[in-house]
Structures are given as structure tokens and as C-alpha cells.
Amino acid sequence: MSNITWRKSATKDVRPFFGAATLESSVDLAEIRLYEDGPFMADTAHAVEPSDSQTLDIVIRPNLALPPAMPMAKGDLVLAVTAVQPFMKKTIVVETHKVSGKIPDEIGIGSDIIDKLGGGSNITIEVALCLGKQLAKKPGSPFLLGHWLSKKSFAIKAPKLAEDFPIQPMTDEEWKLIGYPAKTLYSVQYIGGFNDPVAKDSHLAKVRIHADVHKKLTLESAQRLAKPMMASLAAEITGHIIAASLSEWDTADEATPHSPLSAFLKRIARIDPAFTFKKFKECAKEPGMPRLKALLHADQQSVRSIAEG
């Protein structure tokens, strides 16, 4: 008998439930509203400034559209809306509704839920048609409680520098393997491109954070610590990148359009409208960058995070 070699050709999200394939587009028409007077949108990616996250009033319209001929009983299915914080790896179930009953036209995501996820600067709202109970195994059909058959995700992110680099949790042993003390809090490895047009799938830097701290930030009981800690880390990491990239843009007359530096200057201009590229250079060259770090902390609303906990 000959050996068969399997090779992976592409990464793809595959749902093996061919017996329920007609349900795959059931929540494709779902919509989201971000603010009280805002429109409902079907778009799945939304940028929200940290300063605007305080006024978020998120509402979901499921717009559930089931096929005329159901491949399984409605009583076996539920519609679920969840809120996810990717960095904290935390998920909160907002509401679940039996498909056999009345599905609300609108489902609100309360401010208490957003606060538990560290604010609205980096969350994902998911609408999913799921199996609502355990079933006997059957080829091509869902059987585990929670198996989803149709899903739509709305990503809400701040247009900030932190999105341009991955964050890697590190254990004591992993820190030591790369030559750092075991209890290192975080490190920033600048890669490049701060003043270059943003390229798809490129990263400015690689950020490592101690695994114990990362885990602590995901705990429900640690939210009073998590918000100010994340705000402070975001500001400090950005400061490291500015210092490491100084030689790349020090002699430039202006920031390159569509570069992370250009986006950064636009954000800081919201805090200080008089903050020019020339002033930015001056602040970046100050020992310790005190004025620039003050602007970074103001942009991350660090004081509010600590005060409100």
C-alpha cells in the first residue's frame, strides 16, 4: 500500500456541517450602530478614536434570515450576541434568544459590558446562529452545544499605532532564553517603517509582555488595574518606537502620507492643534521625551483610566 502525503495549501475557516449548509448566510444581513444618533451599518470594520469610545451606544440588528426549508428544528437553535476583547482573550455573552421564539429587532451592548472589556477601543461584537443544546452525533450536522452555523463579526478598533505590532506573552523561561531577566515587564523590538506608507501584513515592531501580567489583565477582578495599565503601556510602547525610529525621519521635511507617523501626528493634533512636525522633532529629541510622553498619556486618557478604574 502506498503512502499518502497531505500538504496544507491555504488557511481557510471551514464549517464541516454540510447538512446545515443552507443556514450559513443566516446572519449576513446583521447591522451595527455605534452611537445613539448614528446609522445602522452592515460594514464589519469600524475605527473609533479613544476620545469617542466614551459615547459609544452599540446596538445590533440581527436581521436573522432563515431559509424557507429548515435543515433542522428551530427549537434546536439560538441566536447569540457576544462581545470579545482580543488582547485580553475575554468573551462576554450579551444575549441569547431561541430561534423558535421572538428574536428582538435590536440588541443593545450596555456600557457595563464595554467597561468590563477595557473600553470600546478594541472589541469585536459577534452575531451567531448556534446550536442551543446537545444533539446526537450525525454526519454533516452540528451536535455540540454552541456549535455555530452562521456568524458575522463587527470589529471596533482605535486607529492607533498599537494595531501595527503583535503582542507576545512571555513566561520567565522565555524571557531568559532571549537574554532578559525572568520578571521583565515588557520589551519593544522596533522593526522599521514608521515613516513609510503602511504595507499590508507588515509590522512596525514586536512587543513582548510578561505572561503573568497578560493573564492578570484578562481577569474580571483585575479590571480596575487593567484599564490604566493598558493605557500606560500603549503610551510607553509608542514612545519606544518614536525613539528607535528617529534617524528614519529626523531629516524629513514632513511625514510621509499614509504612514504610521502621519497617522500619529493627526492623532496628537487632536490633543494639541498647534503640534507641528517641527515641534514633534523637538520633543522627540528632548532627554526622556517628557512633553511627548505627556501628550501620549493624554491621548490614551491615562488619567481618566486611573480615576475611573
Side-chain angles (χ1 to χ4, degrees), residues 84-90 122-124 156-157 214 218:
V84 182
Q85 219 294 354
F87 173 71
M88 298 163 62
K89 293 182 172 59
K90 183 175 182 179
N122 184 23
I123 59 174
T124 300
I156 302 172
K157 296 184 178 181
H214 186 272
T218 67

Side-chain angles (χ1 to χ4, degrees), residues 88-108:
M88 298 163 62
K89 293 182 172 59
K90 183 175 182 179
T91 300
I92 295 177
V93 178
V94 180
E95 289 186 17
T96 59
H97 297 276
K98 293 182 178 180
V99 173
S100 57
K102 170 66 176 174
I103 301 293
D105 294 331
E106 298 181 356
I107 297 174

Side-chain angles (χ1 to χ4, degrees), residues 13-119:
D13 190 6
V14 178
R15 303 302 292 167
F17 306 135
F18 54 84
T22 55
L23 295 172
E24 289 181 357
S25 60
S26 299
V27 298
D28 285 0
L29 300 178
E31 298 174 302
I32 189 171
R33 189 200 73 188
L34 300 179
Y35 303 101
E36 184 177 3
D37 298 323
F40 279 89
M41 301 167 286
D43 308 71
T44 57
H46 303 271
V48 173
E49 294 285 351
S51 57
D52 295 331
S53 64
Q54 301 296 320
T55 59
L56 283 173
D57 185 15
I58 301 174
V59 176
I60 293 292
R61 280 182 178 169
N63 295 331
L64 183 63
L66 297 174
M70 290 289 292
M72 56 194 309
K74 288 185 178 180
D76 294 339
L77 303 173
V78 296
L79 179 83
V81 175
T82 58
V84 182
Q85 219 294 354
F87 173 71
M88 298 163 62
K89 293 182 172 59
K90 183 175 182 179
T91 300
I92 295 177
V93 178
V94 180
E95 289 186 17
T96 59
H97 297 276
K98 293 182 178 180
V99 173
S100 57
K102 170 66 176 174
I103 301 293
D105 294 331
E106 298 181 356
I107 297 174
I109 315 295
S111 58
D112 57 329
I113 292 176
I114 296 176
D115 288 343
K116 289 177 181 178
L117 296 176

